[in-house]
Amino acid sequence: MNDNHFKFSNAVIGLPVFFVLFLWIIYWVQIRYDFDFYQNGIYPRSFSGLQGVLFSPFIHENLSHLYNNSIPLLVLLAALKFFYPKQTFLVIVYGILFSGLITWIIGRENFHIGASGLIYVLVSFIFFKGIQTRYYRLVALSLSVILLYGGMIWYVFPEVDKTISWEGHLAGFITGFIMSLLYKAPEYAKPIVYDWQRPDFNPDEDAFMKHFDENGNFVNTEIPEPEDEIFSTYYNSDVSVLYTVTKAESDDKM
């Protein structure tokens, strides 16, 4: 397999930059005009709290909260767009929706805001998808993600830091894993060169495999032809042949 699938485009830089810039614009509007966007976050198990499934990733508590989410989003969204361009849109949209719904179901009765749930979706999807493809470049990407953001796994547990939405982190991690199973990446599958690499290959029907027994020993599967059949094939004939016998003249000269 070649690496023609890895094609750099302006979207690799543009997508994360515009996404993060949009978050900063919303935060600027919030503090500039003193809007209370917290009420638009996810409030678990309440009908009005469902609006947060859509809005919560774009709302942040303070500048530190926004900054801590911006850097991972820039890195992960760029990696997602470059290595998984066909799955990028679906991962972002459904990652926001389903991680938000899970948070709405399991979350504490409080407003849950911030893009950290989406960050966990991206980390989980990129890591598990790379391992599943078993393609060396994507496996290396998975290991790089673990080196950079592996410590985030602790924040899916409730006892580590109760001041953060561990429910949103857990929901994002679960969502990313499920999407890595659902969204296939056939462009990174190894090309099929031999018949035995096909998923529907049946060794019992393969002509070559029939020459070996269950222990791997070679067996002769050719059926010899009967001797009488060979004789009749090569020595019998229905054509009448007329033979003329002549006496050779002897040479009496000395």
Side-chain angles (χ1 to χ4, degrees):
M1 181 179 66
N2 55 40
D3 295 331
N4 292 335
H5 302 290
F6 302 137
K7 295 181 179 179
F8 180 83
S9 65
N10 293 333
V12 174
I13 301 298
L15 174 65
V17 169
F18 282 110
F19 190 92
V20 173
L21 181 61
F22 184 65
L23 299 183
W24 281 83
I25 291 174
I26 292 177
Y27 182 73
W28 178 83
V29 172
Q30 176 179 318
I31 61 176
R32 174 65 176 81
Y33 297 99
D34 197 23
F35 287 147
D36 190 6
F37 288 151
Y38 306 116
Q39 303 297 324
N40 301 108
I42 299 175
Y43 198 87
R45 295 173 297 282
S46 68
F47 182 77
S48 61
L50 278 173
Q51 63 177 327
V53 173
L54 294 176
F55 300 140
S56 63
F58 308 100
I59 305 171
H60 291 83
E61 180 181 3
N62 50 46
L63 192 61
S64 176
H65 187 201
L66 177 59
Y67 175 79
N68 290 334
N69 285 341
S70 296
I71 302 301
L73 283 173
L74 288 172
V75 175
L76 294 171
L77 286 175
L80 180 69
K81 183 60 180 176
F82 182 74
F83 291 98
Y84 302 99
K86 297 181 180 179
Q87 296 82 10
T88 297
F89 179 78
L90 297 176
V91 170
I92 294 175
V93 173
Y94 289 115
I96 291 175
L97 292 179
F98 288 110
S99 64
L101 284 174
I102 296 175
T103 304
W104 183 82
I105 294 172
I106 68 174
R108 291 164 290 175
E109 293 185 355
N110 203 342
F111 287 104
H112 297 255
I113 59 174
S116 55
L118 177 60
I119 293 175
Y120 275 81
V121 170
L122 298 176
V123 169
S124 179
F125 177 84
I126 294 174
F127 171 73
F128 288 111
K129 196 67 208 172
I131 300 300
Q132 292 164 17
T133 59
R134 293 182 292 182
Y135 180 47
Y136 72 101
R137 291 186 181 273
L138 299 181
V139 172
L141 175 64
S142 298
L143 297 178
S144 299
V145 168
I146 288 300
L147 289 175
L148 291 174
Y149 304 110
M152 294 171 52
I153 190 64
W154 299 110
Y155 294 99
V156 303
F157 300 107
E159 300 300 329
V160 175
D161 190 348
K162 295 182 179 180
T163 63
I164 62 175
S165 176
W166 64 267
E167 299 95 331
H169 298 168
L170 178 61
F173 188 82
I174 294 174
T175 301
F177 172 70
I178 294 176
M179 287 195 298
S180 71
L181 299 176
L182 295 179
Y183 298 141
K184 305 300 181 182
E187 62 270 23
Y188 297 129
K190 292 184 178 180
I192 296 177
V193 179
Y194 306 102
D195 289 337
W196 54 265
Q197 293 178 311
R198 300 182 183 278
D200 58 347
F201 174 74
N202 186 359
D204 295 331
E205 299 179 358
D206 184 73
F208 178 75
M209 295 300 295
K210 289 181 180 179
H211 289 283
F212 300 89
D213 59 16
E214 61 276 5
N215 297 321
N217 300 318
F218 179 81
V219 293
N220 186 8
T221 58
E222 296 181 358
I223 301 176
E225 297 181 357
E227 294 184 1
D228 56 346
E229 183 178 348
I230 297 176
F231 180 81
S232 62
T233 301
Y234 295 99
Y235 298 96
N236 290 350
S237 176
D238 296 332
V239 180
S240 300
V241 179
L242 179 62
Y243 294 96
T244 302
V245 180
T246 60
K247 183 180 180 180
E249 295 180 0
S250 57
D251 190 3
D252 296 335
K253 298 180 179 181
M254 298 299 292

